Amino acid sequence: MENSAGADRDWVTLLSENSRTGGSREASWRVPKGVRWQFRAGRAVRSAPVLRDNLLYVTEVHGAVYALDADSGRPQWTRQFPNWIHSTLSLSGNTLLFGCDGGKVHCLAGDTGRTIWETATRGEVWGSPVVRDATVFFGSADGRFYAVEHKTGRPRWTQNLGGRISASAYAAEKHVYLGCGDGKVYALDISSGRIQWSAPTGDGIDSTPAVVAGTILVGSEDYFFYGLDAGTGSVRWKFETKLGISSSPAASEEAVVFGSKDQNVYAVDIRTGKLRWKTFAGSAITSPPVISGSVVAVNAEGPVLCLDIASGQVLWKAGLGGGLQSAPVLAGGRIYVASQNGMVYALE
Amino acid sequence: MDRRDFVKTAGWGSAALLFNSGLGRGQANPSRPALPPIEVHGIRLRKPSKLGIPGLFPGRVVEVFHGDSIAGNRVCQPIVGRMLDEGMKELTGENSPAAAWQRFIEPHDVVGIKINSSGAPVCYSSPEIVREIIAALRSIGVPAHNIVVFDRYSYEIELGSYQALLPVGPRLVGIEYGAFDAARYDFDVYCDADFFGESETRSFLARVVSQEVTKIINIPTMKDHAASGVTGCLKNIGYGCFNNVARTHQAPYTYTDPFIGYLCSTEPLRSRAVLHIMDGMREVWHGGPITSNWEFIREAKTLFLGTDPVAVDTVELEAIEKRRREEGAISLWDNDPSTLTKSDAEFHRDCHKNLYFRQPGHIAAAGKLGLGVFDLKRIDHRQLRLA
């Protein structure tokens, strides 16, 4: 996979890499002893940072993009764009990709911030672009899903779907999987965009799918979390929570972990869909959890919580300002967290 | 309209001082600091719209109930659509939903749908209702790109997942995201009052209201409110379209009465807010406006429709007060200092506690500003019970 992390210190897209596992390659996340640095990235950060080659990239909601030295927190370059940014950044090679509320997707040089290309849609782009086989995939609130050349931004194909697309896609070898505001999960042919199958849920989908062992794992605003057969879209199992699920899941080999707006973090067996544990977080959870060895971390509306992955027991929590989609980055023995109030922290 | 021609309504502040002392049924707030002058800097309209507050049907409230409209906290969109159709016909006297909508909206209008997402993800304007309203607007010829769904806080909109749940076409606008984020406000339209010695004494109107939309459909939710008593039509457009309004609360005091009314009276907000559809699928009778305590939330299965926000809010106030009586909670009008707590957590679990001396009198105060009918006896309250 072109966009897979090249080194243990890299964390190139939402949930670490395109497999959306949530960074499970690292050793367990220990209690941080202190703050190495903190940086104010404007007034608000909604999305997750990414990391490559010792540069931490962060977007501020009001249109700023920062490249920070991961050791010191000092900005290496900054760009200001005219539209709001909800999209989580994605790194591929030396390029940095993200969408914005004005409908554009930007491709920048990671080392300088220089624009390489940009392409336009007719709606907000909130999801994180996904790169596979030299193609960038992203959806838009205009109801279309786009595939463009990574090098140039030229269109490869576009597929019209039945609703807004606000979450990111999962790009596998032959198919791209995504959830849509029309309530369906779609499997699109990766080379043509043709719809291979669609599977209905009871309401719109605002969650990014993961795929493990032929099972698509995705939450819906209908309060259910689904395990779908990746080949056919048939429902293998579904698990009910008390409110909508927009948190994207993180998966280990056996369990999938996700948050719900009902304020709980759930771990569900990937094979059976049975509950392993649930833990009350005290605030709605819309951000994706990340897994690190034997622990799972999630940035709730309030604190960052660290849970034991086997039991769900809270190991520790830290009040860092919360975040709606801002998953922590766990790399090189450090934890990088961006918070809704605009602060970026490096803990170690 | 001339953008430079705004009116400064000098003297309103002193009028408010006189007017506040005689308002409401409850006691005056014990030792609340005196009400400061309030200056309204609105835009002078050549001809204020006759559709503007209190609109085409002053004093009329249509309450529509359907027992299957919500179950297990899931709203049934087809049933809500039918409730909306019947309610609109009853409100206007028209024979078809399309004719009813055409009383308020023309195809060339840019329509703002002001949602209430502040209780998301528990109690907020149901996306199912918003979708039905968008479908109704489309059915009478309003282009999708002329529909703007908006609210003050972008992160609250996101908690409600409107970004996924709205149909393709309408724009979704969060006016602000973080603290001190005033870029999307109109610095020519504001209300100015120094309540507690705050550094910024002005509250500015959102530009989406003053510069983009020509009509507003207001979708408040049915909730009590720790400061204003209830939050309904008036508070949703007043405190939901102007910034820097939390400064009117300094526990245990609040100036929601009369500030909400002044905000709603400001042009062009007043002229553009032509229809109010209160989402009463869920009723928060204690702990509002933001709570996740299901003990104080019930499925009321109701919509309230009207052009007169004061009348709709008066009916809402009576309904929530009745529920609180039935549940043994203290009255929304209670001004007993012994009920006060400084603990949010205690307030949210105990319906005998208050964070503020609540001010449900803000509704009558708005009525006295000419924004509608607050005398229950004069309200034409029509109730439809659908099968």
Side-chain angles (χ1 to χ4, degrees), chain A:
Chain A
M1 185 177 292
E2 182 189 358
N3 199 18
S4 60
D8 271 359
R9 283 178 59 84
D10 291 346
W11 186 285
V12 295
T13 189
L14 181 69
L15 292 178
S16 175
E17 52 194 321
N18 274 345
S19 59
R20 310 282 187 202
T21 56
S24 56
R25 69 189 182 284
E26 279 231 359
S28 287
W29 192 19
R30 293 183 299 274
V31 182
K33 290 181 178 156
V35 177
R36 181 179 176 89
W37 54 259
Q38 55 186 311
F39 175 77
R40 171 158 290 285
R43 294 185 296 263
V45 177
R46 177 261 186 188
S47 56
V50 293
L51 178 74
R52 170 166 274 176
D53 296 338
N54 213 41
L55 284 179
L56 185 77
Y57 300 93
V58 183
T59 56
E60 199 270 339
V61 168
H62 301 86
V65 181
Y66 298 91
L68 306 176
D69 180 278
D71 291 329
S72 66
R74 289 194 195 96
Q76 301 302 296
W77 56 259
T78 305
R79 289 280 311 268
Q80 179 66 46
F81 291 85
N83 294 107
W84 282 19
I85 301 172
H86 284 85
S87 164
T88 285
L89 296 157
S90 186
L91 281 159
S92 182
N94 182 39
T95 63
L96 185 63
L97 297 140
F98 62 96
C100 66
D101 285 17
K104 285 184 177 172
V105 169
H106 299 272
C107 179
L108 311 182
D111 52 353
T112 64
R114 172 180 58 86
T115 293
I116 297 173
W117 53 260
E118 58 184 35
T119 187
T121 76
R122 294 179 183 174
E124 303 93 334
V125 178
W126 278 32
S128 182
V130 175
V131 183
R132 178 162 188 138
D133 297 337
T135 305
V136 183
F137 302 94
F138 55 91
S140 165
D142 66 9
R144 297 181 179 94
F145 191 79
Y146 296 82
V148 303
E149 283 181 13
H150 180 209
K151 211 170 194 177
T152 63
R154 287 198 196 101
R156 287 202 160 144
W157 51 259
T158 303
Q159 178 59 260
N160 283 304
L161 300 177
R164 289 172 176 255
I165 303 161
S166 55
S168 309
Y170 181 97
E173 187 180 352
K174 293 181 178 172
H175 297 103
V176 181
Y177 302 100
L178 71 145
C180 181
D182 66 359
K184 293 177 181 169
V185 178
Y186 287 92
L188 308 181
D189 181 89
I190 200 164
S191 56
S192 68
R194 199 172 59 245
I195 298 172
Q196 297 297 297
W197 54 256
S198 65
T201 72
D203 209 340
I205 297 174
D206 193 22
S207 160
T208 297
V211 182
V212 175
T215 302
I216 296 173
L217 304 159
V218 67
S220 168
E221 286 301 305
D222 71 359
Y223 305 180
F224 284 96
F225 190 86
Y226 289 82
L228 306 176
D229 184 294
T232 64
S234 60
V235 177
R236 287 183 171 167
W237 50 261
K238 59 181 186 176
F239 179 87
E240 187 173 15
T241 71
K242 300 291 186 193
L243 283 174
I245 302 164
S246 55
S247 158
S248 303
S252 67
E253 286 182 6
E254 296 179 341
V256 57
V257 183
F258 58 93
S260 168
K261 293 178 187 175
D262 71 8
Q263 307 189 4
N264 288 296
V265 182
Y266 293 86
V268 170
D269 187 283
I270 290 175
R271 196 171 50 82
T272 64
K274 302 284 186 208
L275 179 68
R276 289 192 165 192
W277 51 258
K278 73 171 182 177
T279 298
F280 184 68
S283 60
I285 298 173
T286 54
S287 63
V290 296
I291 295 170
S292 177
S294 61
V295 302
V296 56
V298 63
N299 198 352
E301 247 194 297
V304 174
L305 295 174
C306 186
L307 313 173
D308 178 83
I309 198 166
S311 65
Q313 184 186 355
V314 177
L315 301 174
W316 58 269
K317 55 185 171 182
L320 296 173
L324 291 181
Q325 282 296 317
S326 186
V329 167
L330 319 174
R334 290 186 198 142
I335 304 155
Y336 301 94
V337 187
S339 69
Q340 196 165 305
N341 63 13
M343 295 302 294
V344 183
Y345 300 94
L347 312 177
E348 63 182 3

Side-chain angles (χ1 to χ4, degrees), chain B residues 18 20 22 34 53 60 106 112 168 209 229 243 248 257-258 268 287-288 310 320 326-327 338 353 386:
Chain B
L18 296 168
N20 188 56
I53 296 171
R60 183 176 298 173
E106 297 175 85
V168 172
V209 174
N243 78 344
T248 62
D257 173 5
V310 173
I320 292 178
E326 289 169 357
E327 299 285 351
S338 71
K353 289 294 179 186
L386 305 184

